[in-house]
Amino acid sequence: MDEPGDHNRRFWVPLHKLFSGGECLLDRDIEVRLSASHVNEKIRRAHLKFLSNGHFGGWSEPALSDAPFIFHDGIADFSAEPDDGGWLLRPFSHPRLTEPASYKGEPLTFCVPKTPDSGGSWRAYQSSLNLLPQPSGARSAPEYLHARHAIADDGSERDLNDEPDIIKLVEGGGYRARHYVDFTGDGWIDVECPEIALDLPRRIPAYSIVASPDFFPLVDQTSLMQWADQSVLPSLMHSLWDAPGSSLPQALSDQRYAANLQISGANFDPDDDTMTAIVGPFGSGAGALCQLKSVNNHRASMLPDGAAGVFAPGWDVSYDRTSETDPEDTGKKLAPGVTFLTNYGLGSPFMEDSKLCAALSSFWPAAAPDITRTFAPSKNYATATPLTDEVIGLGSKPPWDGVRGPTLRQKEGKVEYASLAYADYVEKALSGGFDISEIGKTTVEEYVARTLTMGLVYRALGVETHDDKLKWSVLSFRMADPSDADLLAAQKATGRRLNKHFTYRYLVFDHADRGAADPTDFKKVLVNFGSLKLLFADPTLVLTKDSAADWSANEVRR
């Protein structure tokens, strides 16, 4: 999609695909060779952030230039498997998504700073240490650090997840917390072809990102973006993504930022802000007919049109910004900084970021798990694309992330939730607790159907503003059984029929508060609820049952 200012930008246009041998170019027998380099410097960046803001996290140079503060190995390399063909870059396979960090044979830790009473460069958010961005939104360090495993002087570990008031413990700081490494990173891929070096001497490396696992591999960001842009009714848009600071879905291919300018050896151009754009050969789009066709080639994309763009900081990639400069060294003219893409602004390890972003999924118009309804109602965020009861542990299987969804305690007038502060995705990763076998099957059609029906449900509930939406929580969500007695009664009473492929059963409630800790279990939160409402929804229609047990049909036409 065209972005503002694209008519003044330069784009790389493909001319010819190169491959080794004598059949690629006339009268030339060529050899194409690739090389790659990736880096992960999240831990190093965190300590540089501490030092630049007056806090000694326990480490400085030259240690900060050693592994695992910064490392290149174990991120990605070219496959040696014959079935993979030539020059397929693959992430290294590791037994676990994260590992405890060690340095010189000892646990690698950082001194957790105290959360300032106001202002400052960091704070405790839930039970994570949140390193705040620059005023521009740029992030020179990971947004979140795991800070729940304290290491004593004798090397023993204290798990703060087993203690009450974990948020206050993190806010107070003053202890050493264990660092964890993940195996994400970013870097470059370069190409050599000596046989055409005289004709084309200039070589430009490609920007490469090894992102966190894609929990929805069949749902690409461009499809979500095009659906929002072309198919969603304008009057309904605000019911989908309307949290403060949110925006419409955007793919990485539509971002206009330079590649990581801090990576050594790549020499990325700060003026090249179309690095992630995807452009076809000249004339490739001419004569295309308008089509209404469902995509059913279910395969994952590794191109930037399948990845999410930057948000705050993002899901697949973040961004940083260079400092202002005085190129003429006269003191009279300052050149503005340059925004560039980078990996190190995401969580350390990445699942620390993933949990909080997924729990605030209405803020993230990205193809990412929405676990908002797994936790007690938020003061800012509401469910946007709900996961099914079966996936979050309310059916016959364990929850995909080890955190069970809400439980109704109807006689007490309460709903029981797991506490977000005590939901530790790092511990789940260390124990192999993630299972994406079910959510990984979600198609684009199913993903947008869930998003659309959730928006329609809010409208059927009378939601007009964001604050209205925050009054409602999703207790149960699943595909409707065609033989469901309530569904049959609703269709009979209204004389309407719902789409048999995308009809969902919603049970929602309005909450009287946002909950308080369970006095018998500090890892649980109890929320008082008002009324329960049962709704059936498909992509065009919602059937609602009122307090008098009468069914009515609700739809949005424009």
Side-chain angles (χ1 to χ4, degrees):
M1 296 179 66
D2 289 338
E3 294 298 310
D6 275 358
H7 62 285
N8 291 324
R9 291 188 171 97
R10 291 183 174 184
F11 292 82
W12 294 103
V13 179
L15 297 179
H16 198 292
K17 182 177 181 178
L18 296 180
F19 52 87
S20 297
E23 299 178 347
C24 180
L25 297 177
L26 182 65
D27 297 329
R28 299 281 183 101
D29 190 350
I30 66 173
E31 181 183 6
V32 179
R33 298 193 298 268
L34 301 184
S35 58
S37 176
H38 293 83
V39 64
N40 179 312
E41 56 173 319
K42 290 180 177 180
I43 298 178
R44 177 175 181 269
R45 286 281 173 169
H47 284 272
L48 291 176
K49 173 90 171 180
F50 290 147
L51 290 169
S52 65
N53 288 277
H55 173 68
F56 183 60
W59 304 94
S60 59
E61 295 289 10
L64 294 185
S65 294
D66 296 338
F69 295 95
I70 178 172
F71 62 92
H72 299 267
D73 297 331
I75 299 174
D77 203 356
F78 294 106
S79 173
E81 295 292 330
D83 291 342
D84 288 339
W87 305 112
L88 176 67
L89 187 77
R90 297 198 312 184
F92 274 96
S93 177
H94 295 273
R96 300 188 294 190
L97 295 174
T98 187
E99 292 292 343
S102 298
Y103 182 61
K104 295 184 177 181
E106 298 292 333
L108 178 59
T109 63
F110 67 98
C111 298
V112 180
K114 180 181 178 181
T115 296
D117 293 333
S118 62
S121 298
W122 42 73
R123 61 169 180 161
Y125 182 77
Q126 293 296 326
S127 52
S128 300
L129 182 64
N130 178 202
L131 304 185
L132 299 175
Q134 301 171 30
S136 66
R139 294 188 180 276
S140 60
E143 181 180 21
Y144 296 109
L145 295 179
H146 186 276
R148 294 183 289 280
H149 293 165
I151 304 296
D153 292 340
D154 62 2
S156 61
E157 183 174 301
R158 170 185 162 208
D159 189 350
L160 302 188
N161 290 304
D162 295 330
E163 301 183 22
D165 297 323
I166 188 172
I167 296 178
K168 290 183 179 179
L169 293 174
V170 178
E171 286 177 341
Y175 61 92
R176 291 191 297 129
R178 182 95 187 230
H179 273 304
Y180 289 87
V181 295
D182 63 39
F183 306 100
T184 63
D186 59 348
W188 48 263
I189 300 175
D190 201 3
V191 61
E192 290 184 63
C193 186
E195 292 78 14
I196 62 172
L198 291 178
D199 305 282
L200 298 169
R202 187 183 185 192
R203 304 198 323 269
I204 306 296
Y207 182 46
S208 175
I209 300 170
V210 180
S212 58
D214 189 347
F215 296 117
F216 289 120
L218 304 182
V219 184
D220 66 273
Q221 190 71 10
T222 293
S223 295
L224 183 60
M225 182 176 68
Q226 291 175 342
W227 171 74
D229 183 62
Q230 300 174 10
S231 301
V232 178
L233 294 173
S235 63
L236 190 61
M237 186 64 73
H238 77 279
S239 296
L240 304 182
W241 302 290
D242 66 344
S246 65
S247 59
L248 296 181
Q250 196 166 39
L252 181 56
S253 57
D254 286 275
Q255 303 283 226
R256 300 295 181 255
Y257 298 130
N260 192 338
L261 300 176
Q262 302 293 327
I263 295 178
S264 61
N267 295 318
F268 288 127
D269 184 352
D271 294 325
D272 185 358
D273 61 359
T274 61
M275 174 67 76
T276 61
I278 295 180
V279 182
F282 284 118
S284 60
L289 299 177
C290 181
Q291 300 182 36
L292 184 62
K293 182 179 180 181
S294 296
V295 179
N296 53 20
N297 54 327
H298 294 157
R299 60 181 181 181
S301 170
M302 302 303 162
L303 295 175
D305 60 342
V310 298
F311 298 103
W315 187 267
D316 294 312
V317 67
S318 182
Y319 67 97
D320 197 359
R321 188 170 176 84
T322 62
S323 300
E324 295 178 334
T325 59
D326 183 3
E328 299 175 1
D329 197 24
T330 62
K332 297 180 180 180
K333 183 178 180 181
L334 283 178
V338 177
T339 301
F340 59 90
L341 300 169
T342 179
N343 164 267
Y344 56 67
L346 303 176
S348 180
F350 73 80
M351 60 285 302
E352 192 70 7
D353 202 352
S354 298
K355 178 196 75 174
L356 293 170
C357 294
L360 313 178
S361 194
S362 58
F363 178 65
W364 301 89
D370 181 348
I371 58 172
T372 314
R373 77 182 188 96
T374 297
F375 302 105
S378 164
K379 64 179 181 179
N380 290 318
Y381 306 103
T383 298
T385 309
L387 296 176
T388 64
D389 291 348
E390 188 75 13
V391 166
I392 65 172
L394 300 180
S396 59
K397 298 180 180 179
W400 76 280
D401 59 354
V403 185
R404 192 173 187 273
T407 302
L408 180 65
R409 291 160 62 164
Q410 193 158 5
K411 291 184 178 180
E412 303 172 48
K414 299 181 184 295
V415 178
E416 177 189 294
Y417 288 93
S419 170
L420 177 58
Y422 287 94
D424 194 331
Y425 270 23
V426 172
E427 288 193 349
K428 298 302 178 185
L430 291 171
S431 63
F434 289 103
D435 180 3
I436 67 167
S437 59
E438 286 301 318
I439 64 172
K441 298 175 185 177
T442 305
T443 64
V444 172
E445 293 82 3
E446 186 176 357
Y447 190 92
V448 299
R450 294 181 187 183
T451 306
L452 181 56
T453 57
M454 186 76 258
L456 292 171
V457 163
Y458 284 129
R459 290 296 295 272
L461 293 169
V463 167
E464 294 291 342
T465 67
H466 180 64
D467 287 341
D468 291 340
K469 182 191 290 188
L470 295 174
K471 299 173 184 176
W472 295 94
S473 293
V474 180
L475 180 63
S476 174
F477 168 78
R478 61 177 185 261
M479 288 291 294
D481 184 341
S483 62
D484 186 309
D486 287 314
L487 174 60
L488 295 175
Q491 293 184 135
K492 181 178 180 181
T494 60
R496 307 296 293 271
R497 293 291 179 268
L498 299 178
N499 185 317
K500 63 180 181 180
H501 299 294
F502 297 112
T503 295
Y504 300 98
R505 181 186 186 276
Y506 284 86
L507 184 61
V508 303
F509 68 94
D510 58 329
H511 45 85
D513 54 44
R514 293 191 174 88
D518 185 338
T520 64
D521 185 351
F522 57 80
K523 295 185 179 183
K524 301 290 185 182
V525 174
L526 299 180
V527 176
N528 294 305
F529 71 88
S531 59
L532 292 171
K533 286 191 177 294
L534 177 63
L535 309 96
F536 292 96
D538 74 1
T540 61
L541 185 65
V542 179
L543 305 183
T544 310
K545 191 176 186 179
D546 62 23
S547 57
D550 294 327
W551 288 95
S552 61
N554 299 266
E555 52 193 323
V556 178
R557 293 186 178 275
R558 63 174 65 185

